[in-house]
Amino acid sequence: MTDEPDSAAQALPSHPPIGIENVAMVHHDRVGALASFERLGFTMTPTGRYLLGGDGGLELGLANHHALFPRGGYWEIITIGDVDRFDVGYGALIERHGVHLAKVTLRLDDPAAEVARLRSVGVEVGDPVAMR
């Protein structure tokens, strides 16, 4: 054992991020997943659909529900709503890995600095994206 911190430990922020914006999971059973979250006490949003290109855009084959958190942020359940429409690859991921987390989006004080710091210790992360 060594006293040297490993790169994963160095990647941890010195203070926690401002908060979780959203956690998204992909699921093969929309009705079952929705019922499970409701049994846990969450109030779920009505079924949502994804549009590629915004309002008036191409409707994707995805459906979703959100469990909204009281202080902002949400847990999202993403399912295949229409197997005949484009699903941005989630169908193949569900077949290969089953139910799993698809993404975690954080709200950070300084996203560019956090990305640079994570990359400096070898963590592969995408570029920051403004969500609002």
Side-chain angles (χ1 to χ4, degrees):
M1 185 165 205
T2 175
D3 290 334
E4 294 294 315
D6 63 18
S7 62
Q10 291 173 356
L12 295 173
S14 57
H15 68 299
I18 292 174
I20 295 174
E21 179 64 30
N22 88 302
V23 175
M25 67 181 291
V26 292
H27 206 290
H28 58 8
D29 177 7
R30 183 183 66 80
V31 174
L34 183 63
S36 293
F37 273 76
E38 289 174 336
R39 278 193 305 274
L40 290 170
F42 289 99
T43 299
M44 305 300 291
T45 62
T47 303
R49 302 277 183 216
Y50 285 89
L51 296 176
L52 190 61
D55 289 337
L58 171 69
E59 184 175 330
L60 299 178
L62 302 174
N64 71 352
H65 292 277
H66 295 158
L68 305 176
F69 299 137
R71 290 189 259 188
Y74 57 97
W75 187 285
E76 180 178 20
I77 301 169
I78 302 171
T79 60
I80 308 303
D82 183 344
V83 296
D84 294 326
R85 292 184 184 264
F86 181 58
D87 68 8
V88 299
Y90 281 137
L93 286 173
I94 292 170
E95 280 186 29
R96 196 171 324 126
H97 302 291
V99 175
H100 66 280
L101 290 180
K103 68 177 180 174
V104 176
T105 305
L106 301 175
R107 278 184 255 140
L108 301 168
D109 287 326
D110 186 346
E114 290 296 324
V115 165
R117 187 181 57 73
L118 290 169
R119 288 177 178 162
S120 76
V121 295
V123 178
E124 292 183 32
V125 294
D127 292 332
V129 176
M131 301 298 290
R132 294 185 190 183

